[in-house]
Amino acid sequence: MLHPARHVLTLFALTLLILCSGVATSFAQPSLPFVVTACVRTPTPPVLDGKLDDACWQITRPMEPFGKLTLGSPATHQSTGYLLYDAEKLYIGVHCVEPRIDAVKATVTERDGPTFGDDCIEIFLIPPDSSILARHEERIRYFHFVVNTLGTRYDEIGLENPKLFDGEWEATASRRDDSWELEIAVPFKTLGTTSADGAVWTGNLSRARWIEKEYSSWSPIIRTFHDIPHFGRFVFTSDLGQTEEQIDEIEFHALHDGLLVPELKDAGKALSAAAETVAELPGDSKAKMQKAARRLQGRLRNLQVRLGSLNGTNFRDQWERFHRRLERVRYEANDLRDESIMLAATDGGTRPWHVFITPAMTNDRLLDNRWPHGLASLPSLAMTACRGEYESATFSVYAVRDLADVRLAISDLTCGDAALPGSCVEPFVVKCWYQAGRNVSDLGGRFLTPELLLRDDDLVRVDHRDKRNLVRAQPGSEEYLDASL
């Protein structure tokens, strides 16, 4: 296989001016990618006044401590969550320590306004049998609720989809001198499910504290509040003591069904897709790729057998090593799939590059070290605009080997008998460099991001090994300065 560093994806953005037209507490202290807590059935529901002084809040288990996003260390100013339920509703209580209570950001008062821009609590719920979530694509199958210190509510399904959901639920907030509290009641019918003793939901509680830009959560997550694989688990129970005795089995099944099995399936899908493409490759590239695919298939079968030997007794000591091996196979399977697609598109690598015509505006990140997959290529580069309007178009050149002295020539643009001179087109290179990410919660990380539009691609150089950005010191200079954060 070719080394990923040799896969060069160069993106050109064309602008056309139309002149003529942490560690969290659960039942135990497992080294798991999530934590587990109890949602206890209450004979008496709380009074929703925003104060956690009802006796029922004492019968459940506190969800604490909250850890800082990405960094993993305990939040400077802690929060504590509580879960209760009865036949009709799920109840959520949250206590937030806040020594600067008069400085909290609280501006949004309208339902479904940008409440997440205030000091707030964000709640994520995934009932496994929700009839409402089942109507949506898998990647957004979760409920997202947000409440600020005024009790203002925001809800959606998935991320940035407020129009998909407008549920009936209640939330009240209260303030003290050094803290604020929330009480929330969500009817099970609003979530398209029912209450059931022994049910296990996926979910999380997160807090945005804008005063000092501290973002924290109950179950340790990475990069963003919407990090579903690291959400915790809520076990619905009428008997807290009995549930604590079953915690090993509960956590094992959550790990097995929620993380290991899906990742194993993902690796298998990528490998199957690679094998199908490899079977149609021409020349010597086919034999080479088939050999790589067979090796990966053998390793995948070994992992499938090994997964069958994990159980509620031995998984704590063995799952991390298993997961590291699985992650490596997943990575190599995806790499093999990308390599096979590349070879198929370039006649077994005999042609030096392949061109994609892609949407100018897309949420898909096209990176310079990865063959784009899952992105539909457009049949041609076409634009429509009015007189005096700027319009954008994008194409991507993927090289199968190192290229030197690459030049871009732009001919006149034609539409029937009409033509525009090539000088109307202003070309830029889309430069990928390392940034903190798209979310304010991506603190401490460096993520390759297609962000800059450059006339001179060499103005910025990127060190992929150390994830550094180097910027030319001055025009014509060969000196580069480290501009990494």
Side-chain angles (χ1 to χ4, degrees):
M1 297 176 65
L2 296 176
H3 192 279
R6 298 184 64 186
H7 297 175
V8 182
L9 175 66
T10 306
L11 310 179
F12 294 92
L14 306 181
T15 302
L16 174 65
L17 172 59
I18 305 297
L19 300 174
C20 308
S21 59
V23 181
T25 300
S26 68
F27 293 106
Q29 293 289 339
S31 176
L32 297 177
F34 55 83
V35 286
V36 178
T37 195
C39 180
V40 179
R41 189 179 185 101
T42 177
T44 306
V47 177
L48 293 185
D49 56 5
K51 300 176 183 178
L52 301 180
D53 53 6
D54 301 278
C56 59
W57 293 117
Q58 304 303 313
I59 68 173
T60 192
R61 193 177 184 87
M63 302 163 68
E64 59 183 8
F66 276 45
K68 291 181 182 179
L69 203 62
T70 299
L71 304 179
S73 56
T76 305
H77 301 288
Q78 276 295 322
S79 310
T80 306
Y82 303 89
L83 297 176
L84 296 168
Y85 78 104
D86 58 20
E88 303 295 330
K89 298 178 181 179
L90 170 69
Y91 303 98
I92 303 167
V94 187
H95 174 85
C96 301
V97 174
E98 183 48 75
R100 300 174 59 189
I101 194 66
D102 293 335
V104 297
K105 186 179 179 184
T107 60
V108 180
T109 58
E110 70 274 15
R111 170 72 186 267
D112 286 335
T115 312
F116 39 80
D118 283 346
D119 281 47
C120 63
I121 290 294
E122 301 193 27
I123 300 159
F124 300 86
L125 299 173
I126 309 179
D129 57 353
S130 169
S131 59
I132 296 174
L133 293 183
R135 303 170 193 163
H136 300 280
E137 57 183 306
E138 187 173 357
R139 69 181 181 87
I140 63 167
R141 284 182 191 162
Y142 60 95
F143 294 102
H144 180 209
F145 300 89
V146 185
V147 186
N148 66 7
T149 62
L150 303 175
T152 306
R153 296 169 295 153
Y154 174 96
D155 56 9
E156 63 182 351
I157 288 177
L159 176 62
E160 298 172 356
N161 289 284
K163 294 182 179 179
L164 291 181
F165 181 69
D166 191 17
E168 296 182 4
W169 54 288
E170 303 171 79
T172 55
S174 67
R175 296 191 189 188
R176 298 179 182 177
D177 292 340
D178 59 356
S179 63
W180 60 281
E181 294 183 336
L182 287 180
E183 286 187 309
I184 298 163
V186 185
F188 288 110
K189 65 178 181 181
T190 295
L191 304 175
T193 187
T194 58
S195 65
D197 196 50
V200 179
W201 290 16
T202 300
N204 207 3
L205 301 184
S206 299
R207 177 185 177 184
R209 185 174 180 269
W210 287 94
I211 302 171
E212 297 172 0
K213 290 183 171 56
E214 181 178 72
Y215 313 99
S216 58
S217 66
W218 163 66
S219 189
I221 51 181
I222 302 173
R223 293 190 56 188
T224 168
F225 284 168
H226 296 253
D227 180 14
I228 300 174
H230 293 92
F231 283 179
R233 302 297 190 273
F234 309 149
V235 183
F236 287 74
T237 181
S238 299
D239 188 335
L240 182 58
Q242 183 182 41
T243 299
E244 288 180 323
E245 294 175 359
Q246 299 170 345
I247 191 60
D248 282 344
E249 283 297 325
I250 292 171
E251 291 184 338
F252 167 68
H253 286 294
L255 180 71
H256 181 277
D257 300 340
L259 179 69
L260 302 182
V261 169
E263 290 193 358
L264 202 60
K265 288 181 178 178
D266 286 345
K269 288 179 181 178
L271 191 51
S272 294
E276 290 178 7
T277 305
V278 167
E280 303 299 324
L281 288 178
D284 296 338
S285 60
K286 179 176 180 178
K288 176 184 175 181
M289 296 294 284
Q290 283 181 329
K291 184 177 180 180
R294 285 194 295 270
R295 284 199 302 265
L296 269 181
Q297 286 169 342
R299 290 166 61 190
L300 185 63
R301 283 194 295 269
N302 288 339
L303 286 172
Q304 291 168 336
V305 172
R306 186 74 188 89
L307 181 61
S309 68
L310 293 181
N311 54 53
T313 302
N314 65 16
F315 79 100
R316 293 193 190 281
D317 297 329
Q318 301 183 31
W319 83 269
E320 286 184 286
R321 182 181 177 187
F322 174 88
H323 190 245
R324 284 194 298 269
R325 293 171 58 191
L326 173 56
E327 284 291 277
R328 185 63 189 171
V329 168
R330 282 183 70 207
Y331 176 85
E332 292 183 20
N334 279 282
D335 203 41
L336 186 73
R337 177 193 57 191
D338 295 346
E339 190 84 8
S340 63
I341 294 172
M342 176 200 70
L343 291 171
T346 57
D347 298 329
T350 57
R351 291 189 291 110
W353 66 72
H354 183 72
V355 177
F356 282 92
I357 306 298
T358 51
M361 302 297 290
T362 175
N363 289 326
D364 293 291
R365 293 194 308 161
L366 301 180
L367 303 179
D368 63 5
N369 63 347
R370 174 65 63 179
W371 178 272
H373 55 81
L375 182 65
S377 296
L378 303 178
S380 62
L381 189 63
M383 294 171 284
T384 302
C386 299
R387 182 185 297 272
E389 179 179 302
Y390 286 92
E391 187 65 28
S392 297
T394 302
F395 67 92
S396 309
V397 180
Y398 188 97
V400 298
R401 54 180 176 267
D402 291 338
L403 302 178
D405 196 25
V406 176
R407 298 178 183 273
L408 173 67
I410 301 172
S411 63
D412 293 346
L413 283 76
T414 60
C415 181
D417 295 332
L420 292 174
S423 59
C424 290
V425 178
E426 196 172 9
F428 296 87
V429 175
V430 180
K431 190 72 174 186
C432 298
W433 67 342
Y434 286 94
Q435 293 292 285
R438 72 180 292 257
N439 297 289
V440 294
S441 52
D442 289 341
L443 301 175
R446 291 183 180 180
F447 307 97
L448 196 60
T449 305
E451 185 174 63
L452 300 177
L453 290 180
L454 302 181
R455 296 181 187 277
D456 179 5
D457 179 58
D458 203 39
L459 176 64
V460 176
R461 294 180 179 178
V462 179
D463 180 347
H464 289 289
R465 186 188 66 179
D466 296 330
K467 297 186 177 181
R468 294 190 305 149
N469 304 317
L470 305 171
V471 179
R472 185 186 295 144
Q474 56 186 355
S477 173
E478 285 300 317
E479 179 186 3
Y480 282 78
L481 304 177
D482 192 337
S484 308
L485 297 176

